[in-house]
Amino acid sequence: MKFSGSHILSISQFDRNDIERVFEVADRMVPYAHRQRVTKVLDGAILGNMFFEPSTRTRVSFGCAFNLLGGEVRETTGFETSAIAKGESLYDTARVLSGYSDVIVMRHPVSGSVAEFAAASRVPVMNGGDGANEHPSQALLDLYTIRKELQHQGRSDLDGLRIAMIGDLKYGRTVHSLCKLLCLYKNVTVTLISPDELKMPEAIVEQLREAGHTVQESDVMEGSISKVDIAYSTRIQEERFASPAEADLYRGRYRLNQAIYTRYCEPNTVIMHPLPRDSRTEANELDNDLNDNPNLAIFRQADNGVLVRMALFALTLDVADQVDKAARDVNWYTERRF
Ligand code: CP
């Protein structure tokens, strides 16, 4: 794909070379994200960061990534502080805000709304999650993390990957985008573990099968995570259910803790989760007793989000090859944290 000036709306836009390009640029962002070097390559540029659903990681890491490239961030959070609450259309909002920004990131509760917004925008728009549809930057950082974790184990290839996805696969947009991304690779075994009512949409299962992958579906976790490289847990997406009571029917159905991991998983199985994990007693899908397990990659995943989102900005705004030219060492105290 041509990155320069493009919207990033769906994983379907990417081919395997594009993914390699994103990962190669993300690798080069490490000294900046790790506070060893400072770049001003986006000095003067403005990100419009518009989040109409709750978010911690996506909103802050997109903003942080833009700041780390030298740009400034303007935010709108929630409908109640936006003129959308007064009846303004997505079309008008996009026309107006794209006059104030060089690039826009948007999260919205309705599937397809970010694409509708992008169609009216005069600047590139990135999808920070649209309803139950897609979360493309999350899938990119997930695959980037999988690649790094496997490299750490001495494996260089994503082909042949064995991954289990656990939880709410019907409404979980991160797993929808991740499945689409895995279709670019070869010979992947995907084990889909969910209650029957929350199964992965059939169209995505079909896409995986058409890519030549092995797809297994189960409603039981323990026996299904015994031969996987990656156990990818997800939250019950209660905001997509008709009522909290309906979500309660499924909350806590799958709980991974250290005892289950030790008993059922291979010793190197990497544990992932897009976060937030629901740590309330009634859910507790990833127990805190996994926090010292070296294969728990959830916080490395969140850190990698900054690298991947820096790469997306650098490519979309066409400065990927200028980042190092506009750089210097940091001159403040930086405690080791990565
Ligand atoms: N993974 C993710 O989308 O997290 P947030 O909802 O905190 O952005």
Side-chain angles (χ1 to χ4, degrees), residues 87-327:
E88 188 164 49
S89 66
L90 279 179
Y91 179 91
D92 286 4
T93 308
R95 289 303 303 261
V96 171
L97 287 175
S98 54
Y100 303 161
S101 317
D102 297 282
V103 57
I104 293 172
V105 176
M106 185 174 174
R107 170 173 288 188
H108 194 286
V110 179
S111 296
S113 55
V114 181
E116 183 188 337
F117 178 92
S121 171
R122 293 172 278 168
V123 299
V125 174
M126 297 188 188
N127 183 358
D130 62 322
N133 182 36
E134 279 223 43
H135 195 342
S137 66
Q138 179 73 44
L140 291 168
L141 77 88
D142 286 343
L143 195 68
Y144 183 76
T145 302
I146 291 170
R147 190 184 72 147
K148 271 195 166 177
E149 296 292 319
L150 294 186
Q151 280 172 347
H152 189 66
Q153 295 179 10
R155 288 179 52 180
S156 59
D157 210 349
L158 289 166
D159 294 327
L161 183 74
R162 302 169 303 162
I163 182 168
M165 299 182 191
I166 306 155
D168 181 354
L169 307 185
K170 177 180 179 184
Y171 295 122
R173 57 192 170 203
T174 70
V175 284
H176 298 169
S177 289
L178 184 55
C179 283
K180 290 180 185 180
L181 188 47
L182 291 174
C183 288
L184 298 176
Y185 294 82
K186 294 197 179 79
N187 195 27
V188 178
T189 301
V190 185
T191 304
L192 302 171
I193 303 163
S194 69
D196 207 40
E197 299 85 349
L198 301 181
K199 284 171 73 170
M200 182 67 74
E202 195 48 46
I204 297 178
V205 174
E206 202 46 45
Q207 253 182 287
L208 288 166
R209 291 208 166 105
E210 279 170 13
H213 298 336
T214 303
V215 182
Q216 301 161 351
E217 294 185 271
S218 172
D219 60 359
V220 178
M221 182 182 74
E222 282 76 0
S224 307
I225 53 173
S226 60
K227 289 191 173 65
V228 297
D229 304 305
I230 309 290
Y232 187 109
S233 175
T234 64
R235 181 178 63 88
I236 299 299
Q237 307 282 300
E238 65 179 85
E239 60 273 35
R240 312 271 173 244
F241 287 81
S243 69
E246 195 187 329
D248 284 343
L249 298 174
Y250 308 105
R251 238 190 282 275
R253 183 79 65 93
Y254 305 111
R255 297 165 184 262
L256 185 56
N257 59 30
Q258 187 58 49
I260 292 172
Y261 181 89
T262 304
R263 178 159 178 206
Y264 291 99
C265 291
E266 293 174 354
N268 280 340
T269 296
V270 176
I271 306 161
M272 295 178 63
H273 192 302
L275 301 182
R277 58 175 156 171
D278 187 343
S279 294
R280 290 171 289 192
T281 315
E282 61 272 26
N284 204 28
E285 56 230 6
L286 278 187
D287 198 281
N288 282 332
D289 74 359
L290 290 161
N291 287 355
D292 293 328
N293 183 324
N295 291 315
L296 184 77
I298 57 177
F299 300 117
R300 294 191 287 275
Q301 240 176 305
D303 284 346
N304 288 336
V306 173
L307 299 172
V308 167
R309 289 172 175 135
M310 287 178 81
L312 291 176
F313 286 134
L315 287 163
T316 304
L317 296 177
D318 206 12
V319 293
D321 297 325
Q322 299 170 46
V323 172
D324 297 332
K325 289 180 200 148

